[in-house]
């Protein structure tokens, strides 16, 4: 014990000090003999431990067994196995690379991080760099200034716990961002920094849902599987309302009313409405008037509105600009009484900092006593990770015009977003050229969600294989092309329809190859089961 320093001290110690008296070395041996006698001798000490009980699937929480998370499900597990086989040289596959189009994880498929943000994070992790000669040659002056600003406000650095709600300086920056975005005031007291948006969703659901199996949550269909999985863990009814694919994945309020009425008839207490805008997996962007209807619906029925707005930077249709639910609420007259929570994340947009797990949520209209209980709930986990908090501050307060890094930063941002839009168009055009495939052009987010008309023979073959038809198709696509997508059944879909979700995040230089692989596979698949 003690490592290299201990060994060095032993080397430097004079010989007279390193020699130990006989009595000192004998004492531990005598003690060991005495203990051996007390416990039945040496044989007793060597007796094996009795067999221990091992948990079985029948003994763990059954809600864990029922929860499903398709984004990291069967397709991803098979893809991981193929990659291992390829690395070992034992794979017999007709492709040289697995393309992971199953998840919005931009840097995993080649996107470079934003330079300014990484410079500041580097200095936060190793503040001693600020005192090194030549630091000005390695880091931009505004990156140095930002790191010093953070360190002045956080003297204990990023290695210590923060306040449970998050660093005050970052929450102030988030409030400034919201105020600038919406033209409305925001308070750092209403902002909570979280490990990505997902953790914030979990906190709010833990606060709102009361357990016992009688509560329900209105969730869009298709939906992001975070919601269905979390509700399964909490024994809560998922009340799915189907978006209208034929109308660009619009949100008909009449369906919300019908779903709510049906839940009431079954004795289910509906607690909140989830809206994902821009949509995942659908890529739709809600029009302003539709958002007003959602707010009126929630206010009328006393529901919390949970606005998942993590793709607010990913807008591809200029005719459908992003509006925050908070802004829409505050512009309504008369203003409804509404409890609103809005989520944002560093993982999406053009940053793609998924692994840093940065994010926040803002609450509006919550009772102060309930807010105190929310803070208590969050405090159980002490705080969100501190680098993610800094990444959130960098997301909401980027370099401004006139700053040393502004031109480089804005160039990186614009190039990423412009490329994403081109890739989206390229992919969706290719999908729409396939037999039996239709796909709405994404108005936002990072995904396409095409509908596939599968031949009856393919559906029968899927049944024989014990697979859902769109899972059967997606597995065949993976084995033939190396492209990983997520079956639509993992998100929920209208009965009798089949879909898959794919990102358009692979490098632009590879998108033509992606489309070509899909086209060749689809023709073969349709021919095989014609």
């Amino acid at each position: 014990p003690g490592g290299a320093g201990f060994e060095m001290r032993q080397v430097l110690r004079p010989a007279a000090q390193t020699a130990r008296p006989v009595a000192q070395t004998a004492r531990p041996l005598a003690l060991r003999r005495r203990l051996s006698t007390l416990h039945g001798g040496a044989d007793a000490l060597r007796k094996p431990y009795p067999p221990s009980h091992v948990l079985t699937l029948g003994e763990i929480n059954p809600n864990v067994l029922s929860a499903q998370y398709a984004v990291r499900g069967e397709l991803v597990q098979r893809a991981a196995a193929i990659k291992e086989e390829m690395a070992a040289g034992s794979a017999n596959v007709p492709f040289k690379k697995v393309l992971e189009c199953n998840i919005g994880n931009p840097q995993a498929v080649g996107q470079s991080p934003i330079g300014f943000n990484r410079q500041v994070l580097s200095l936060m992790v190793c503040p001693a760099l600020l005192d090194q000669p030549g630091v000005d040659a390695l880091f931009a002056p505004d990156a140095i200034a930002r790191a010093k600003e953070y360190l002045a406000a956080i003297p204990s650095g990023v290695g210590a716990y923060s306040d449970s709600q998050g660093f005050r300086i970052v929450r102030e920056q988030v409030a400034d961002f919201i105020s600038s975005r919406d033209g409305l005031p925001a308070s750092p007291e209403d902002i909570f920094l979280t490990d990505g948006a997902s953790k914030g969703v979990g906190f709010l659901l833990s606060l709102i849902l009361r357990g016992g199996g009688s509560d329900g949550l209105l969730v869009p269909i298709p939906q992001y599987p975070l919601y269905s999985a979390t509700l399964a863990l909490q024994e809560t009814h998922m009340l799915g309302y189907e978006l209208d694919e034929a109308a660009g994945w619009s949100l008909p309020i009449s369906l919300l009313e019908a779903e709510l009425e049906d839940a009431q008839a079954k004795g289910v207490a509906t607690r909140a409405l989830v809206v994902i805008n821009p949509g995942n997996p659908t890529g739709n962007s809600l029009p302003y008037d539709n958002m007003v209807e959602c707010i009126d619906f929630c206010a009328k029925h006393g529901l919390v509105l949970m606005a998942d707005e993590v793709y607010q930077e990913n807008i591809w249709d200029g005719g459908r600009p992003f509006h925050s639910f908070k802004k829409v609420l505050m512009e309504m007259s008369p203003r409804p009484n509404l409890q609103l929570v809005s989520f944002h994340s560093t993982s999406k947009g053009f940053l793609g900092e998924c692994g840093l797990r940065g994010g926040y949520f803002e609450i509006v209209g919550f009772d102060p006593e309930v807010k105190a209980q929310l803070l208590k709930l969050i405090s159980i986990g002490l705080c969100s990770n501190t680098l993610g908090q800094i990444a959130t501050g960098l997301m909401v307060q980027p370099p401004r015009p006139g700053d040393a890094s502004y031109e480089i930063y804005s160039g990186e941002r614009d190039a990423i977003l412009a490329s994403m839009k081109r890739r989206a168009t390229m992919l969706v055009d290719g999908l729409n050229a396939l037999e039996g495939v239709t796909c709405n052009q994404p108005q936002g987010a990072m995904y396409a969600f095409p509908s596939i008309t599968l031949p009856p023979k393919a559906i029968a073959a899927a049944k024989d294989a014990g697979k859902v038809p769109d899972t059967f198709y997606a597995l065949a696509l993976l084995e033939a092309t190396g492209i990983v997508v997520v079956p639509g059944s993992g998100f929920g879909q209208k009965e009798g329809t089949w879909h898959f979700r794919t990102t358009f995040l692979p490098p632009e230089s590879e998108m033509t190859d992606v489309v070509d692989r899909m086209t060749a596979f689809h023709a073969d698949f349709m021919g095989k089961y014609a």
Side-chain angles (χ1 to χ4, degrees):
F6 176 81
E7 294 172 3
M8 184 61 71
R9 288 193 297 272
Q10 292 293 84
V11 170
L12 296 176
R13 183 177 295 165
Q17 293 181 348
T18 56
R20 299 179 63 189
V22 173
Q24 288 183 357
T25 57
R27 224 177 282 136
L29 179 60
L31 180 60
R32 287 197 299 273
R33 287 173 176 166
R34 175 62 176 159
L35 288 172
S36 176
T37 302
L38 289 174
H39 290 281
D43 290 342
L45 292 178
R46 287 195 295 269
K47 284 183 179 179
Y49 289 107
S52 60
H53 177 71
V54 178
L55 281 173
T56 66
L57 288 180
E59 296 172 311
I60 68 171
N61 184 343
N63 296 331
V64 175
L65 290 174
S66 63
Q68 301 293 327
Y69 188 66
V71 173
R72 290 273 174 99
E74 181 181 2
L75 268 294
V76 175
Q77 294 168 17
R78 176 57 188 146
I82 291 173
K83 287 197 290 185
E84 289 181 4
E85 293 167 7
M86 293 175 76
S90 60
N92 182 21
V93 292
F95 48 84
K96 296 181 180 179
K97 179 180 179 181
V98 172
L99 282 171
E100 294 170 311
C101 299
N102 59 295
I103 190 168
N105 193 12
Q107 293 185 29
V109 289
Q111 180 177 306
S112 297
I114 298 294
F116 173 82
N117 295 23
R118 287 303 181 90
Q119 288 186 41
V120 178
L121 288 166
S122 298
L123 293 169
M124 293 300 297
V125 171
C126 189
L129 290 172
L130 291 166
D131 300 322
Q132 296 300 309
V135 65
D136 294 337
L138 293 174
F139 296 92
D142 50 345
I144 293 173
R146 178 68 68 85
K148 288 181 176 179
E149 178 187 11
Y150 281 139
L151 290 168
I154 312 165
S156 54
V158 294
Y161 293 129
S162 73
D163 295 337
S164 294
Q165 201 166 337
F167 291 131
R168 174 82 188 191
I169 183 173
V170 175
R171 288 188 289 117
E172 289 173 347
Q173 291 173 339
V174 172
D176 290 343
F177 162 76
I178 294 170
S179 298
S180 176
R181 182 194 66 192
D182 296 340
L184 299 161
S187 169
E189 303 305 326
D190 296 328
I191 292 160
F192 297 75
L193 304 182
T194 54
D195 290 322
S198 299
K199 184 66 74 172
V201 169
F203 284 137
L204 265 295
L205 292 180
S206 294
L207 179 77
I208 294 169
L209 302 174
R210 297 167 296 185
S214 62
D215 282 351
L217 188 75
L218 283 163
V219 178
I221 297 297
Q223 52 94 32
Y224 180 50
L226 163 70
Y227 295 97
S228 55
T230 304
L231 296 182
L233 291 172
Q234 300 198 17
E235 293 186 277
T236 298
H237 297 273
M238 190 178 92
L239 310 174
Y241 61 91
E242 290 182 355
L243 302 177
D244 187 349
E245 183 172 11
W249 298 110
S250 64
L251 196 168
I253 298 301
S254 59
L255 289 182
L256 294 179
E257 293 285 1
E259 193 64 40
L260 181 66
E261 184 177 340
D262 184 61
Q264 290 172 337
K266 295 175 180 176
V268 175
T270 305
R271 304 287 289 161
L273 167 68
V274 173
V275 180
I276 307 174
N277 184 46
N280 176 9
T282 55
N284 63 312
S285 182
L286 292 180
Y288 190 98
D289 291 346
N290 202 183
M291 297 174 73
V292 169
E293 291 176 325
C294 291
I295 291 171
D296 280 335
F297 170 80
C298 288
K300 172 184 174 183
H301 296 290
L303 306 180
V304 176
L305 175 53
M306 299 178 64
D308 185 333
E309 299 177 337
V310 301
Y311 297 99
Q312 59 188 263
E313 296 283 352
N314 302 106
I315 297 295
W316 316 123
D317 183 347
R320 286 287 180 86
F322 171 77
H323 301 286
S324 75
F325 267 99
K326 180 182 179 182
K327 179 180 180 181
V328 175
L329 169 65
M330 295 302 177
E331 290 178 346
M332 292 173 67
S333 181
R335 183 186 305 165
N337 292 320
L338 179 73
Q339 296 173 97
L340 169 68
V341 53
S342 304
F343 304 92
H344 198 8
S345 169
T346 65
S347 301
K348 310 307 178 186
F350 57 90
L351 297 183
E353 292 285 13
C354 303
L356 290 178
R357 310 307 299 133
Y360 73 82
F361 64 83
E362 180 191 24
I363 57 174
V364 175
F366 277 63
D367 183 283
E369 292 183 348
V370 172
K371 179 180 172 182
Q373 293 301 308
L374 175 60
L375 181 58
K376 179 184 76 175
L377 175 65
I378 292 171
S379 298
I380 294 172
L382 297 176
C383 68
S384 61
N385 86 88
T386 54
L387 283 181
Q389 294 186 42
I390 298 299
T392 301
L394 295 168
M395 173 181 72
V396 298
Q397 193 176 99
R400 296 185 173 95
D403 291 346
S405 296
Y406 176 75
E407 294 299 331
I408 294 175
Y409 181 95
S410 60
E412 291 173 329
R413 175 198 64 205
D414 295 347
I416 290 169
L417 292 174
S419 176
M420 278 190 189
K421 185 174 181 178
R422 290 192 299 269
R423 283 176 275 170
T425 301
M426 188 185 309
L427 177 63
V428 173
D429 286 349
L431 290 169
N432 280 324
L434 303 181
E435 177 189 355
V437 176
T438 58
C439 187
N440 289 314
Q441 281 287 351
Q443 298 163 336
M446 298 177 169
Y447 314 101
F449 196 64
S451 172
I452 327 167
T453 301
L454 294 173
K457 288 185 178 179
I459 294 174
K463 183 178 180 180
D464 291 342
K467 302 292 182 185
V468 178
D470 52 13
T471 301
F472 181 76
Y473 177 92
L475 282 168
L477 174 67
L478 169 62
E479 298 290 349
T481 68
I483 298 172
V484 191
V485 299
V486 187
S489 49
F491 299 91
Q493 54 198 343
K494 187 174 182 178
E495 188 174 353
T497 66
W498 309 110
H499 299 76
F500 65 84
R501 188 192 79 167
T502 176
T503 71
F504 38 83
L505 295 176
E508 192 167 357
S509 60
E510 298 181 11
M511 284 306 297
T512 298
D513 181 53
V514 171
V515 173
D516 288 346
R517 287 199 218 179
M518 283 186 169
T519 300
F521 161 77
H522 188 78
D524 289 345
F525 183 91
M526 298 298 279
K528 179 178 180 180
Y529 295 104

